[in-house]
Amino acid sequence: MSRTDPTPAAKRPVSRPPARRRLLRGAGRTGQYLALLCYLVFLGFPLLWLLSTSLKSPQELGSIDPSWIPGDPGLENFRAAFDAQPLLRSALNSLVVATSSALISVAIAVPAAYVMVRYRSRISRAGTVWILISQMFPFVLVIIPLFLVLRNLQLINQLPGLVIVYVVWNLPFSLWMLQGYVKAVPISLEEAAAMDGASRSRTLTSVVLPLLTPGLVATLMFSFVTAWNEFFFALVLLKSPEKQTMSVILTRFIGAEGVADLGPLAAAALLATLPSLLFFALLQRRLVSGMLAGAVKA
């Protein structure tokens, strides 16, 4: 026999969270926002300081009491940087090298990662071992044989030679990144495509590749930023000023005695940072939408 509540529904007390629980919840959310704000300030401080330095006059830069905000901001340092070094030419060289190496690395890594994940064999295991070993070699150890090989191929002081170096150097990590994304793709989708009569190449391009969009974007971003910021290979392999990349040109703002022309150097370094930020800003939305699309299709 069921028991009924004699208290009318209109007079029953409404259950509300205690005031202390609401206070703790609000304090926790405020703490999260403060921690996020501190983290953003920590990440953005070097860029803001670089911007402040690039807008200061030589008198402010030479002051023993530096200020956070320029007293008389101007663009003289940017003009001096463009007059002193071929920044536009070097930026174009870096853009060509970074974009080409990123696209080629991803184009090679996608089918290679798919084969290494779906077809487990001695070759795929050897490829995994090669990925791990190749990341342990320092730049100095490989630069001499690499220089000799490129000299025999007549690719010294040539942008295609630097592209080949970056592709080979970025390919192991690109394979390592894409393997995780390929493993996340359900194999049942490939089996369903095969039952519908799709070939292996059609399955890869029509089924697997759309689900790899987040991995492709992340790998592209990694390869592009790595090639854009790389300095050692570009310094050794490129000799002509008209073919040098942005990272090498920045060293020309430091004199023979190690004294840096701080204002123009900050202006040039700020300009060298912008392409990476723009590249990430353009692909960030594609990265998020690709992750959501992959989650829905999976």
Side-chain angles (χ1 to χ4, degrees):
M1 183 175 180
S2 61
R3 301 169 61 182
T4 58
D5 189 358
T7 305
K11 296 182 179 180
R12 293 177 185 174
V14 180
S15 60
R16 296 178 180 176
R20 184 178 181 182
R21 184 182 303 175
R22 293 199 303 267
L23 182 61
L24 292 177
R25 186 180 303 173
R29 184 172 300 176
T30 303
Q32 292 177 356
Y33 286 132
L34 288 177
L36 180 60
L37 179 62
C38 293
Y39 184 65
L40 291 177
V41 171
F42 173 76
L43 292 180
F45 175 77
L47 187 61
L48 295 177
W49 183 257
L50 198 63
L51 176 62
S52 175
T53 304
S54 64
L55 296 177
K56 291 180 179 179
S57 62
Q59 292 76 17
E60 289 184 273
L61 293 174
S63 174
I64 60 175
D65 187 16
S67 59
W68 292 87
I69 301 176
D72 186 17
L75 300 178
E76 290 79 9
N77 292 323
F78 291 91
R79 299 190 188 97
F82 278 102
D83 293 339
Q85 301 297 335
L87 294 182
L88 291 179
R89 182 65 182 179
S90 62
L92 180 60
N93 294 337
S94 295
L95 183 63
V96 170
V97 171
T99 304
S100 301
S101 60
L103 293 176
I104 295 175
S105 298
V106 171
I108 297 175
V110 169
Y114 180 80
V115 171
M116 292 176 66
V117 172
R118 292 291 187 251
Y119 301 96
R120 303 299 298 176
S121 62
R122 293 182 178 178
I123 297 178
S124 63
R125 287 192 291 269
T128 304
V129 174
W130 167 70
I131 292 175
L132 297 176
I133 295 177
S134 62
Q135 299 303 304
M136 296 186 296
F137 286 102
F139 289 176
V140 180
L141 187 63
V142 300
I143 189 60
I144 294 179
L146 185 62
F147 183 88
L148 296 177
V149 171
L150 292 178
R151 187 186 63 178
N152 294 334
L153 296 176
Q154 298 181 355
L155 291 177
I156 296 295
N157 200 29
Q158 300 292 332
L159 294 182
L162 190 61
V163 171
I164 294 175
V165 173
Y166 288 163
V167 169
V168 175
W169 197 258
N170 288 332
L171 188 57
F173 194 81
S174 300
L175 281 171
W176 186 263
M177 289 183 63
L178 288 175
Q179 282 189 58
Y181 288 93
V182 173
K183 291 179 182 178
V185 176
I187 197 172
S188 58
L189 296 179
E190 301 178 37
E191 295 174 349
M195 293 179 62
D196 292 338
S199 62
R200 180 63 66 180
S201 58
R202 179 64 182 275
T203 301
L204 178 61
T205 56
S206 301
V207 178
V208 179
L209 199 59
L211 298 178
L212 294 180
T213 303
L216 296 178
V217 174
T219 307
L220 275 173
M221 292 171 57
F222 165 80
S223 301
F224 180 88
V225 173
T226 301
W228 180 273
N229 295 329
E230 202 280 325
F231 170 75
F232 185 68
F233 287 140
L235 177 65
V236 175
L237 300 178
L238 300 177
K239 297 300 181 182
S240 302
E242 65 274 7
K243 293 184 178 180
Q244 289 179 338
T245 58
M246 197 75 171
S247 58
V248 179
I249 289 296
L250 290 179
T251 61
R252 295 177 174 269
F253 291 97
I254 301 177
E257 298 180 356
V259 179
D261 196 358
L262 194 57
L265 176 60
L270 182 64
L271 295 176
T273 308
L274 293 180
S276 298
L277 297 177
L278 294 176
F279 187 77
F280 178 78
L282 292 175
L283 293 183
Q284 182 186 17
R285 182 174 300 177
R286 182 63 178 171
L287 175 62
V288 176
S289 62
M291 293 176 66
L292 295 176
V296 173
K297 293 179 181 178

